[in-house]
Amino acid sequence: MWLPCGCTSKYVASSFARRILASHLHVSGRSRCNVAAFMPEAAGFEGVSGRAALRELSVSNSESFWAAVARHRLSWSIPFHTVQDCDLSRGKIKWFEGGKLNVSVNCLDRHVHTCPERVALIWERDERGSEMKYTYRELLEMTCRVGNLLRRHGVKRGDCVTIYMPTCPLAVASMLACARIGAAHNVVFAGFSADALAERIRDAQSSTVITVNQGVRGGKVIELKKTVDTAVESCPTVKQVFVAMRTDNPVTMTARDIAMEEEMLKEDVVCEPAVMNSEDVLFLLYTSGSTGKPKGLVHTQAGYLLYAALTHRYVFSYHDGDVFGCVADIGWITGHSYVVYGPLANGATTVLFESTPIYPDPGRYWDMVERLKINQFYGAPTAIRLLLKYGDQWVNKYDRSTLKTLGSVGEPINTEAWEWYHRVVGDGRCPVVDTWWQTETGGICIAPRPSDPDAEIVPGMAMRPFFGIKPVLIDTEGELLTSNNTSGALCMAQPWPGMARTIHNNHQRFIETYFQPYPGYFFTGDGAYRSEEGYYQITGRLDDVINVSGHRIGTAEIEDVVNQCPAVAESAVIGYTHSIKGQGVYAFVVLKKGIDVKEADLSRQLNGMVSEKIAKYASPDFIQFAQRLPKTRSGKIMRRVLRKVVESDLEGLGDLSTLDDPAAVQEIIQEQSVLS
Ligand code: WTA
């Protein structure tokens, strides 16, 4: 694996980078006013006092707000001429048109210019106590070498490179190298199976893949290169696979494979950055929707970077010199926005966490907090719930006095977990920010902060919209709910720079999923409650997407795999409440007539199929073999009814009048009672 070399700087600002740096330094010298003390970007808004007022202004005067922030926070080679050109009814979203910039210059060169020896990355390797630090200069050099390597192997502006790597410095350098040369990246979570990887490579039409020989997680070796070998067999577009070495074990190399570190050594440490348009594609990231096919959400350059940087700065109260510890994997949007782009755009020291919360023991996170002196810790409720069960002693063993803010993301955080996080981990002195957002939103949209430092935080509530975000609730009739103390579909009434621009190769699906359900609004797919005080609380998905250990998965994706088994006639998958994972996977399976197999054997087979075709986390916790499924007269499976049965909420079965044959529900209930 590429090591920090500590050699003297060979950094020479390219002419393009120099121009950008000059424009940045010029803008930073602007006048200040009262809000400016808190938010220098908003220095132009004289007379606005307090963060709540600034929030209102950021919505009512959105264009001026975003223009000021974009000029201040990003370094442009050519300024934008149009702040936004959006039409939500058509799914048209464009920000900062006319502007030109390079994302890697914003994340690296400008910090190398001012503080080259500041630590950019701390790689908290799986092996405890073996962390490695990389300065901004070293990360820039690594990025440039990868950029040159990709260019030399024919990767061009506009191409899409698939990255299948664990969270490690070379993965970050690969993402930034794509940004540097104008290629898009498509990071695929390294826990996905060969089939899932292949599907994403094919859809993205990548000809280049970057991977490692093996991954290491929780002390176990994971054969990532072998998975890539299997995947690319069904990907005719793939011409080359770069293989980095995470472990010392050699792997079989084919004619298509290139030894990454060896080749990087031959490259120069200066790589001319491509001059990108604001709306050029920065990356694709696949996520699950309510149909079987994952969608490649597209994020573009300027708006995404700006939003990631701004939310990172203000939601977590990040300050210069802080060590930011987001433990998400880079394969998810949280890793993109709050391990890589947001922190690096702000010149932060960001932690790359390669391990698990309980390896080698349940003190891992807090040992890391002490060792790396982490100031902001950002993780998932599922891990908090797991650690809570191991007891306070694993936390109390370690010094956590550096912590200032604790963040939660990915799923609702229940009150017990929130309070433990606040009281035990944060010693009752760190604000807990429950952050709501999605792959689609690019960055955090609802969170308790920014708000005045002493403003109340309600456990388990995301609470306040971020600057420029205008959430609304809409009822089932499509009516806007204007009062408080009400629940509805969570939509956004205004565009913001971080939102996804389209679904790769399928703009129609983008429109149908997000903009057609409530014309004129962006529909999140989530339901929410707005309290008497006007605070938001997310109540869960309204579609057939479930959230297992913070990983989003479409029930239809799992059904597709289960239905491929020759013994299966049909299936229905639902999520049910799980004490650690948040939601578990429950599959109802109807066998074809005349099939005679042991249910236990078939269950094992189906679990294996789901792990192999999607990923382990999607594998059902329960499989119930049923005679038939409850359906409407038009043949739609009534998952709502199945959910109630699994929750043992027979009172809440609701209106069954549209059922084709109500006896089917009684059968399912009886079958279930035999099981439990
Ligand atoms: C859910 C992860 C409750 C929600 C950043 C959303 C949450 C989906 C929260 C997006 C939260 C995320 N409280 N639910 N704080 N944060 N979710 O795309 O259902 O992997 O729609 O992005 O996770 O998942 P995704």
Side-chain angles (χ1 to χ4, degrees):
M1 180 52 59
W2 196 251
L3 302 179
C5 61
C7 57
T8 54
S9 172
K10 280 211 208 161
Y11 172 74
V12 188
S14 63
S15 57
F16 170 60
R18 268 199 305 272
R19 249 183 295 135
I20 292 188
L21 291 167
S23 81
H24 178 69
L25 296 175
H26 168 73
V27 174
S28 311
R30 287 169 155 238
S31 63
R32 317 216 145 213
C33 74
N34 52 359
V35 294
F38 159 67
M39 191 180 192
E41 294 93 331
F45 299 113
E46 279 91 6
V48 176
S49 63
R51 291 157 211 201
L54 187 58
R55 179 177 300 115
E56 270 168 38
L57 183 133
S58 70
V59 172
S60 63
N61 206 346
S62 144
E63 283 213 11
S64 324
F65 175 82
W66 287 116
V69 170
R71 282 190 201 108
H72 182 101
R73 201 150 272 277
L74 298 185
S75 296
W76 300 85
S77 65
I78 296 183
F80 50 90
H81 53 61
T82 307
V83 181
Q84 62 141 316
D85 180 13
C86 303
D87 177 356
L88 291 188
S89 64
R90 292 194 295 129
K92 177 184 168 198
I93 304 135
K94 287 175 193 276
W95 286 86
F96 310 121
E97 275 187 303
K100 292 190 193 287
L101 78 173
N102 183 283
V103 165
S104 79
V105 169
N106 273 274
C107 290
L108 299 173
D109 304 53
R110 59 177 175 165
H111 310 310
V112 172
H113 193 73
T114 52
C115 45
E117 300 311 317
R118 179 183 289 176
V119 174
L121 309 178
I122 308 180
W123 183 21
E124 172 72 4
R125 289 154 32 103
D126 194 52
E127 303 86 351
R128 170 146 76 178
S130 69
E131 71 270 12
M132 292 169 80
K133 297 183 176 170
Y134 296 71
T135 65
Y136 269 93
R137 178 180 54 75
E138 287 164 339
L139 182 58
L140 175 62
E141 290 180 2
M142 202 187 334
T143 301
C144 285
R145 286 182 196 264
V146 179
N148 288 328
L149 181 65
L150 293 175
R151 268 194 184 138
R152 188 157 61 80
H153 283 82
V155 178
K156 292 187 300 300
R157 186 186 171 116
D159 289 352
C160 179
V161 174
T162 294
I163 298 175
Y164 186 69
M165 295 171 106
T167 300
C168 63
L170 206 43
V172 176
S174 299
M175 293 163 79
L176 292 168
C178 288
R180 193 155 193 97
I181 66 170
H185 57 71
N186 165 32
V187 181
V188 178
F189 171 57
F192 273 123
S193 67
D195 280 9
L197 171 62
E199 188 178 8
R200 286 158 177 77
I201 294 175
R202 280 195 302 266
D203 193 76
Q205 295 147 306
S206 282
S207 56
T208 302
V209 177
I210 308 180
T211 190
V212 296
N213 62 336
Q214 295 175 318
V216 188
R217 199 155 177 268
K220 293 198 193 82
V221 169
I222 309 153
E223 300 290 347
L224 297 183
K225 163 71 163 63
K226 279 197 186 138
T227 307
V228 172
D229 286 345
T230 312
V232 299
E233 270 168 31
S234 60
C235 300
T237 52
V238 174
K239 303 271 182 309
Q240 52 192 358
V241 177
F242 291 93
V243 185
M245 298 295 282
R246 167 59 181 88
T247 65
D248 294 333
N249 306 325
V251 283
T252 317
M253 299 287 273
T254 67
R256 164 184 70 213
D257 300 330
I258 299 161
M260 190 164 182
E261 287 100 334
E262 248 173 79
E263 291 300 310
M264 277 172 69
L265 276 176
K266 300 178 189 158
E267 300 296 338
D268 204 287
V269 293
V270 177
C271 173
E272 185 68 19
V275 182
M276 304 302 289
N277 301 310
S278 294
E279 283 300 334
D280 286 336
V281 175
L282 178 62
F283 64 84
L284 316 185
L285 187 58
Y286 284 83
T287 189
S288 296
S290 46
T291 72
K293 197 173 149 41
K295 41 198 177 184
L297 286 157
V298 173
H299 284 282
T300 55
Q301 314 266 328
Y304 169 78
L305 186 67
L306 176 68
Y307 198 71
L310 203 73
T311 47
H312 169 254
R313 165 71 186 83
Y314 291 106
V315 170
F316 300 100
S317 308
Y318 165 80
H319 285 96
D320 243 13
D322 285 347
V323 177
F324 190 78
C326 168
V327 289
D329 191 284
I330 50 148
W332 308 113
I333 191 69
T334 309
H336 281 56
S337 301
Y338 301 109
V339 174
V340 181
Y341 287 112
L344 294 180
N346 289 333
T349 296
T350 183
V351 175
L352 309 179
F353 184 68
E354 191 185 34
S355 195
T356 81
I358 52 168
Y359 181 76
D361 60 48
R364 179 61 188 257
Y365 278 168
W366 324 120
D367 167 47
M368 174 177 77
V369 165
E370 176 182 304
R371 239 182 320 110
L372 309 187
K373 302 193 170 29
I374 290 175
N375 300 112
Q376 290 89 13
F377 181 88
Y378 192 28
T382 184
I384 302 301
R385 284 192 292 267
L386 178 69
L387 295 178
L388 182 160
K389 294 212 185 314
Y390 284 97
D392 300 3
Q393 71 276 17
W394 290 106
V395 187
N396 292 332
K397 253 177 101 169
Y398 299 101
D399 176 11
R400 288 152 285 107
S401 58
T402 52
L403 286 174
K404 295 193 280 193
T405 305
L406 298 172
S408 165
V409 60
E411 41 168 334
I413 178 161
N414 49 309
T415 313
E416 189 193 7
W418 192 101
E419 281 175 349
W420 186 80
Y421 200 25
H422 182 248
R423 182 177 50 79
V424 181
V425 176
D427 279 329
R429 54 176 187 83
C430 304
V432 173
V433 289
D434 174 8
T435 63
W436 176 88
W437 61 295
Q438 315 177 292
T439 307
E440 292 84 344
T441 67
I444 296 162
C445 285
I446 308 183
R449 296 283 193 262
S451 46
D452 294 322
D454 51 357
E456 70 166 335
I457 297 185
V458 182
M461 269 199 161
M463 300 183 79
R464 305 178 174 95
F466 188 70
F467 295 126
I469 297 294
K470 189 176 178 190
V472 292
L473 299 179
I474 302 183
D475 71 11
T476 44
E477 310 296 312
E479 293 297 322
L480 206 56
L481 296 161
T482 49
S483 60
N484 283 349
N485 193 10
T486 187
S487 298
L490 178 66
C491 296
M492 299 294 167
Q494 265 182 210
W496 65 99
M499 68 194 296
R501 303 301 196 251
T502 189
I503 292 174
H504 181 62
N505 276 341
N506 203 345
H507 194 63
Q508 192 51 35
R509 185 175 176 196
F510 185 63
I511 294 172
E512 280 163 15
T513 311
Y514 304 109
F515 302 100
Q516 269 175 8
Y518 302 99
Y521 298 94
F522 167 82
F523 173 45
T524 64
D526 279 320
Y529 163 72
R530 188 168 52 227
S531 72
E532 207 56 79
E533 298 78 21
Y535 300 144
Y536 288 87
Q537 178 171 36
I538 309 305
T539 49
R541 298 288 308 190
L542 298 175
D543 53 12
D544 292 321
V545 171
I546 58 176
N547 200 320
V548 181
S549 307
H551 301 331
R552 183 171 152 176
I553 180 83
T555 52
E557 274 176 78
I558 305 175
E559 287 165 12
D560 272 4
V561 175
V562 170
N563 294 348
Q564 282 169 28
C565 174
V568 172
E570 61 176 346
S571 65
V573 169
I574 57 162
Y576 69 97
T577 307
H578 186 287
S579 65
I580 305 265
K581 298 201 270 187
Q583 281 189 299
V585 179
Y586 198 115
F588 290 89
V589 174
V590 179
L591 297 181
K592 284 183 186 152
K593 293 264 172 300
I595 295 282
D596 184 21
V597 282
K598 277 211 186 106
E599 288 185 351
D601 291 345
L602 193 57
S603 289
R604 253 193 306 279
Q605 187 188 343
L606 293 174
N607 278 312
M609 283 174 72
V610 176
S611 301
E612 212 172 279
K613 298 228 177 254
I614 307 175
K616 273 215 182 73
Y617 69 81
S619 184
D621 300 88
F622 280 106
I623 297 182
Q624 178 174 339
F625 293 94
Q627 294 302 316
R628 55 194 172 137
L629 299 173
K631 290 186 183 165
T632 61
R633 283 185 204 103
S634 59
K636 275 186 97 176
I637 298 169
M638 290 190 76
R639 290 188 176 71
R640 171 179 66 79
V641 171
L642 292 174
R643 255 181 246 129
K644 292 289 174 194
V645 172
V646 169
E647 285 164 9
S648 304
D649 179 11
L650 302 185
E651 309 275 280
L653 283 176
D655 179 14
L656 299 181
S657 62
T658 55
L659 270 178
D660 182 30
D661 182 359
V665 181
Q666 290 314 316
E667 279 173 23
I668 295 260
I669 294 171
Q670 269 159 21
E671 283 156 358
Q672 204 209 15
S673 64
V674 173
L675 272 179
S676 52

